[in-house]
Amino acid sequence: MFEDVFLPIMIVGMLFIGLPWIIFHYITKWKTQATLTVPDERLLEELHEAARRLDDRICTIERIMSAEDPAWRDKCISSDRLRDQNLLGRADELLAEHEALLDRKKER
């Protein structure tokens, strides 16, 4: 008799008290984590200021480099392009090796 009464009370309690409590608990947690805290905003401001200063420094260095050697950009671009082509060639070789290994495994 006790089990016949206890089980429905437990089910009703879980549905009308436990389930909403869990849902509202996680909704509250989600809303508090969705906003930036004051230290986060301060950190973002500091990072933005550091990025702006670095951008100014890069512009200064580019002006100095352009004054000393106007063709410096072309030299950098051509060396970067050569390095990228070498990296792409190596990536193609590795991909071909990988595919060959996969084919060998499939044959077994």
Side-chain angles (χ1 to χ4, degrees), residues 27-66:
I27 287 174
T28 304
K29 290 284 187 186
W30 172 68
K31 284 186 177 183
T32 58
Q33 291 179 355
T35 60
L36 288 176
T37 62
V38 174
D40 290 339
E41 289 178 2
R42 206 173 304 127
L43 178 63
L44 281 175
E45 287 294 324
E46 290 174 9
L47 290 173
H48 181 264
E49 181 62 24
R52 190 193 60 74
R53 285 193 318 259
L54 288 173
D55 188 43
D56 290 343
R57 289 178 184 174
I58 289 173
C59 288
T60 303
I61 290 171
E62 287 178 347
R63 280 197 309 268
I64 293 169
M65 293 290 293
S66 294

